[in-house]
Amino acid sequence: MRRREFHASEALGRQLFSDLEVMQVAGVDPDGAPVLKTVNGVVDEGWVCFHGSPAGEKTSLVGRPVVVSVEETIAVLPSYFMDPERACPATTLYRSAQARGVLQAIDAPARKARVLQRLMEKLQPEGGYVPLDADSPLYRAQVSGLLIAGLPLDVLTTKAKLGQNRTPTQRATLLEKLWARGDVRAVELIRAANPDTPTPAFLAAPEGLTLHGWLPPTRSGEAAALLAGEYWNDVFTPGELERAHRGATAWVGVTEATGALVATARALADGGKYGWVYDVCVRADLRGRGLGKALMRLLLDHPAVRGCRVVRLGTRDAQGLYAQFGFVPAQSLPPRPYVATEMVLRR
Ligand SMILES: CC(C)(COP(=O)(O)OP(=O)(O)OC[C@H]1O[C@@H](n2cnc3c(N)ncnc32)[C@H](O)[C@@H]1OP(=O)(O)O)[C@@H](O)C(=O)NCCC(=O)NCCS
């Protein structure tokens, strides 16, 4: 790789192959013709694998050197983030990985079925089918008839272009601009890839704690666990709480040095008219240190929420917290020029 600063870990490369749905396979067939195929791939026991028809073009690559590639765009950076006039600084932040090796056909029926099962788990995680089994009459013919091919992820190049070529101060400014623009995930990924980046003002947190303006869906279980005993959640199951966090338009949190989530807050918001704040919670031993206020400050400044003309919430006893951000009891507002009945569908 020419730019060493963009070199990233093999672990990230494996993660990209595991997480991303679409990959490209490129090689040269026995007649010397270039072949490039887009596949849905999956990682199985350290191999990247995909399926195809035995009569298809992919079969022509079996036994031949190939490159398998995955990539995801993290953010497109406009030139004016860096320079008000010149177009040259326009660039893209991305993560990518390439695996090289000889493509091998996988013949053992049990392994073929396992690869297909992993593919189903990746693309249809909700289930709704009988698990793949090479001996089942449901699948025997298909498993034996399909091409399953793959290569070990041994020769792996991983690249993460996430602002490493900028100074820490330039990166902190970049984070401010991305937050202002609404690239909340990019902010987190750039910070994680460059731990020496000064914390921008909007993410300022008490010593030893880190404020996050975006959390991955995989952390929804931690949020549900934090919120489980709270008075307003006794009617909701942990599964419902997790879905609520994954479905929120804004979800912010705080982690401690161990990486554990210790505070969380979320909102549903349309970015223009209305937002609703829900599930503000700080782990009991960390209350009274300003985390609740830090969460609220960040949540109200979140790109999905900051443009909302009206933000609502409900609370039993934390009015004093929200009053600091301008919230007032709804009953204290002047009546609207029309009579409205708030209606609810409860189920
Ligand atoms: C409410 C909660 C999120 C506040 O977080 P925190 O980190 O303890 O709060 P902070 O240290 O940022 O300070 C909160 C401020 O609001 C005030 N406040 C008013 N009502 C409060 C309440 N019920 N609980 C906590 N603080 C309250 C505090 O006195 C403090 O005021 P100050 O700025 O003058 O010091 C936290 O106590 C918590 O998780 N409680 C249990 C869950 C809960 O009730 N969530 C709110 C549901 S609407």
Side-chain angles (χ1 to χ4, degrees):
M1 192 182 305
R2 189 172 58 85
R3 302 284 299 268
R4 295 305 299 168
E5 70 271 32
F6 298 139
H7 178 87
S9 69
E10 284 202 4
L12 175 64
R14 287 169 201 279
Q15 186 200 319
L16 294 176
F17 276 109
S18 293
D19 294 351
L20 299 180
E21 281 172 21
V22 173
M23 23 193 107
Q24 261 90 36
V25 189
V28 176
D29 76 9
D31 299 328
V35 176
L36 175 62
K37 301 298 289 181
T38 299
V39 297
N40 287 126
V42 73
V43 173
D44 175 62
E45 305 234 314
W47 284 42
V48 60
C49 304
F50 54 88
H51 70 299
S53 151
E57 252 186 310
K58 285 170 232 162
T59 305
S60 69
L61 295 177
V62 171
R64 307 185 65 78
V66 293
V67 184
V68 188
S69 167
V70 282
E71 63 188 66
E72 66 169 339
T73 298
I74 303 300
V76 175
L77 301 186
S79 59
Y80 54 79
F81 271 14
M82 298 296 289
D83 189 307
E85 293 179 335
R86 292 182 321 119
C88 312
T91 191
T92 302
L93 304 185
Y94 61 89
R95 306 194 295 186
S96 65
Q98 289 193 345
R100 282 157 210 278
V102 173
L103 188 66
Q104 299 176 44
I106 293 168
D107 295 322
R111 182 150 191 223
K112 289 175 85 174
R114 198 178 63 214
V115 168
L116 292 168
Q117 175 64 27
R118 293 210 191 287
L119 203 52
M120 287 300 290
E121 288 165 3
K122 182 171 179 177
L123 300 177
Q124 192 178 308
E126 71 277 19
Y129 59 92
V130 176
L132 270 289
D133 176 349
D135 296 326
S136 157
L138 273 180
Y139 298 121
R140 198 181 300 128
Q142 284 81 357
V143 168
S144 88
L146 271 178
L147 165 75
I148 306 287
L151 64 151
L153 287 171
D154 289 342
V155 184
L156 195 56
T157 318
T158 313
K159 192 169 172 182
K161 184 167 183 274
L162 291 170
Q164 301 91 326
N165 52 333
R166 295 170 192 241
T167 65
T169 313
Q170 283 175 333
R171 267 198 306 275
T173 307
L174 177 62
L175 297 185
E176 301 269 7
K177 291 186 176 190
L178 287 170
W179 177 256
R181 191 176 75 171
D183 284 277
V184 293
R185 179 171 178 254
V187 168
E188 283 297 318
L189 296 182
I190 293 167
R191 271 185 107 198
N194 301 281
D196 63 335
T197 307
T199 303
F202 70 92
L203 290 175
E207 181 72 25
L209 298 165
T210 308
L211 200 52
H212 303 271
W214 175 86
L215 290 159
T218 48
R219 303 204 73 159
S220 58
E222 285 177 83
L226 266 181
L227 288 155
E230 296 302 342
Y231 65 87
W232 66 94
N233 276 328
D234 54 2
V235 297
F236 297 110
T237 66
E240 285 165 338
L241 282 176
E242 287 192 37
R243 288 210 302 280
H245 282 78
R246 292 197 297 267
T249 34
W251 175 22
V252 302
V254 178
T255 53
E256 62 179 357
T258 60
L261 189 72
V262 297
T264 180
R266 68 185 185 94
L268 292 181
D270 59 25
K273 289 172 67 175
Y274 298 116
W276 258 104
V277 169
Y278 295 101
D279 291 327
V280 183
C281 189
V282 176
R283 200 176 71 192
D285 59 309
L286 293 171
R287 288 177 193 165
R289 294 178 50 187
L291 288 187
K293 285 183 284 189
L295 279 177
M296 279 306 294
R297 198 174 302 116
L298 188 64
L299 189 61
L300 293 175
D301 184 42
H302 188 286
V305 182
R306 72 168 84 101
C308 295
R309 283 274 297 278
V310 179
V311 181
R312 295 193 171 94
L313 59 79
T315 183
R316 187 183 64 187
D317 54 23
Q319 292 86 345
L321 165 62
Y322 304 115
Q324 298 189 31
F325 295 92
F327 284 83
V328 295
Q331 306 88 299
S332 70
L333 292 172
R336 290 181 170 152
Y338 53 87
V339 178
T341 306
E342 197 181 343
M343 298 177 74
V344 177
L345 170 65
R346 197 167 269 180
R347 50 189 182 178

